[in-house]
Amino acid sequence: MSKNPIRVGLSALTGIYGLTIAVLAMLDVPSLGLIAAIGAVLLGMGWAFSGRFTREGA
């Protein structure tokens, strides 16, 4: 795994996000789909920008 602090942070956020969605699913939160969709888009954009701006030699 890369030692880039941005990617390490995104990895941690991805794990926390997954746990949060799991807990919300167990609690049967009515707006779970909306929360999951917004979080997935934000994390996806984070990973995309991370790859775009930290790519070496490109």
Side-chain angles (χ1 to χ4, degrees):
M1 185 172 153
S2 174
K3 299 219 184 279
N4 184 339
I6 293 173
R7 290 186 177 209
V8 171
L10 279 171
S11 294
L13 283 175
T14 301
I16 292 168
Y17 169 72
L19 289 173
T20 302
I21 294 301
V23 169
L24 291 176
M26 288 190 303
L27 295 174
D28 200 25
V29 173
S31 59
L32 178 63
L34 180 63
I35 295 168
I38 291 171
V41 167
L42 291 176
L43 274 174
M45 287 174 44
W47 279 110
F49 286 128
S50 168
R52 178 72 177 146
F53 295 126
T54 61
R55 190 179 317 171
E56 297 173 8

